[in-house]
Amino acid sequence: RTGAAAGASDAAELRSVSVKLDGRASIEHQLDIHVLDLAEAADNEDIAPLEVLQGLRYVMEYRISGGKMPSLDPDLMARLLEALLHYTADVTGSLLSKKLTEEADIAFTLFGEFTQEVDEFRAAVGRQSATDLRRALAVGRRCAAGASDDQRQDAAAVLRLLTTRFVQFRDWRDLVAREDQNDVASVLKEFAVAGDAAAGGDGAAPVMPPVDHELFPPPALYFDKNAKKLADMFQSDVASGLASSRVAALADFYGRNALPAPAPRSTLLMLLEQLSNFMVIILILAAVAEFATGDPKAAAVLLAVVVLNVTIGFVQELKA
């Protein structure tokens, strides 16, 4: 019995390892899709960076955070860091009223969360210089007078992470432009925690602020899920469907399950399209040739055919 029990224990351990490896492979595959999309978004207008970043946030919250997956592929984490830092300082608005975009805020939050959760991401961050991070993270802009509470709180949390996890970033001033340091010092004091190293304490274990709103599954995660897992993702039921209380929130985030209405077409453009038809052009050229050779009757017949053909085509297009 002892041997059988040991064998059962070994088998259970192997199954546990197998599940963990499968889970890691699945997460890495999902992250890789998102990283590739972020890299291609600059040249492909069909890819919305905001949706990709929201997808990464979902993967982080439900599959990585809380120690679920502390180790991931080093090369993937390096590419993810590069992709996130491309967006963390993204701004919009005029020269005198620039503000950080929603993409920048999500990328910054993800930078902090991956730094907190994943060893290989921290290793990639550790290879960055303070100068590069100062430029990319735009911490000063997140602590300025017009910044939101969320931006300031995230900035304080990220600085705490960097100053406590990395010896080379121990002094937060190295990560902030000189002209912004007073604002940042005020924010660190405002959001100080017990033993906060960045605010002058002994250094408590820093954490990013928890998610305070619902995160919705991104489309990139649908392909590798069976019906039961998809139903669980959307808090639905395969037999009875969605609860009525869930419909409004999902419809508001994803949009209605309907094809968009086609854009209205200009009547003048439709008429020009009829006139540019290859056969119509041939008939017009033939009519011109008949006029040139002194046969106006034949030319008139050809032009009448053109008018009739264009009219019928235009009316049918108008009714379509």
Side-chain angles (χ1 to χ4, degrees):
R1 275 199 299 272
T2 302
S9 176
D10 291 343
E13 185 175 347
L14 284 172
R15 282 195 299 272
S16 176
V17 171
S18 176
V19 168
K20 188 169 184 178
L21 289 174
D22 288 344
R24 171 171 169 167
S26 174
I27 292 171
E28 289 175 346
H29 182 58
Q30 292 163 9
L31 292 175
D32 191 45
I33 291 173
H34 287 82
V35 170
L36 290 173
D37 283 346
L38 283 179
E40 294 177 8
D43 302 318
N44 188 344
E45 61 182 16
D46 292 331
I47 299 176
L50 180 59
E51 293 181 6
V52 180
L53 290 164
Q54 288 171 336
L56 281 169
R57 195 84 199 277
Y58 182 89
V59 176
M60 165 55 69
E61 178 66 16
Y62 292 104
R63 303 209 62 185
I64 298 174
S65 68
K68 299 185 191 77
M69 192 60 60
S71 180
L72 291 166
D73 179 72
D75 177 67
L76 176 59
M77 291 299 97
R79 290 191 292 116
L80 174 61
L81 173 63
E82 181 181 358
L84 292 179
L85 292 181
H86 180 75
Y87 287 96
T88 46
D90 211 18
V91 294
T92 185
S94 63
L95 182 63
L96 297 178
S97 60
K98 285 186 177 181
K99 62 178 183 178
L100 292 162
T101 63
E102 186 176 356
E103 290 88 342
D105 286 340
I106 297 177
F108 186 82
T109 300
L110 284 165
F111 171 87
E113 290 174 338
F114 273 96
T115 300
Q116 176 178 296
E117 298 287 345
V118 182
D119 295 336
E120 290 77 9
F121 191 88
R122 281 195 294 276
V125 171
R127 292 192 292 271
Q128 299 287 312
S129 70
T131 302
D132 289 339
L133 288 181
R134 180 169 63 243
R135 186 185 308 113
L137 295 178
V139 173
R141 192 181 291 274
R142 299 175 189 283
C143 298
S148 68
D149 285 345
D150 287 342
Q151 287 174 331
R152 290 171 20 244
Q153 186 177 11
D154 281 353
V158 166
L159 280 181
R160 284 199 299 269
L161 281 167
L162 293 175
T163 55
T164 56
R165 299 293 182 95
F166 303 92
V167 174
Q168 65 269 41
F169 306 138
R170 187 68 69 188
D171 186 353
W172 63 265
R173 294 168 188 82
D174 294 337
L175 301 167
V176 180
R178 186 180 299 276
E179 62 271 19
D180 298 322
Q181 289 180 4
N182 288 338
D183 289 337
V184 174
S186 297
V187 168
L188 288 172
K189 190 173 182 179
E190 179 184 359
F191 293 100
V193 296
D196 192 346
D202 298 328
V207 293
M208 290 294 292
V211 177
D212 59 359
H213 58 277
E214 182 175 5
L215 298 175
F216 295 92
L221 300 187
Y222 301 169
F223 72 96
D224 66 346
K225 301 287 187 294
N226 58 34
K228 177 65 170 62
K229 288 184 177 180
L230 280 173
D232 291 342
M233 282 173 61
F234 290 101
Q235 300 175 35
S236 181
D237 184 87
V238 175
S240 58
L242 282 169
S244 57
S245 59
R246 294 281 299 153
V247 173
L250 291 170
D252 183 60
F253 183 80
Y254 293 107
R256 301 195 65 81
N257 187 21
L259 293 174
R265 297 184 63 192
S266 165
T267 52
L268 179 60
L269 181 60
M270 287 190 286
L271 182 59
L272 289 174
E273 286 178 353
Q274 293 298 321
L275 288 171
S276 62
N277 180 277
F278 179 73
M279 286 304 300
V280 169
I281 293 173
I282 293 296
L283 289 173
I284 292 173
L285 292 175
V288 171
E290 292 295 344
F291 271 118
T293 57
D295 191 353
K297 289 184 178 180
V301 170
L302 289 172
L303 289 176
V305 172
V306 168
V307 171
L308 181 63
N309 185 70
V310 169
T311 301
I312 292 173
F314 175 74
V315 171
Q316 288 179 336
E317 188 74 16
L318 198 60
K319 290 180 177 180

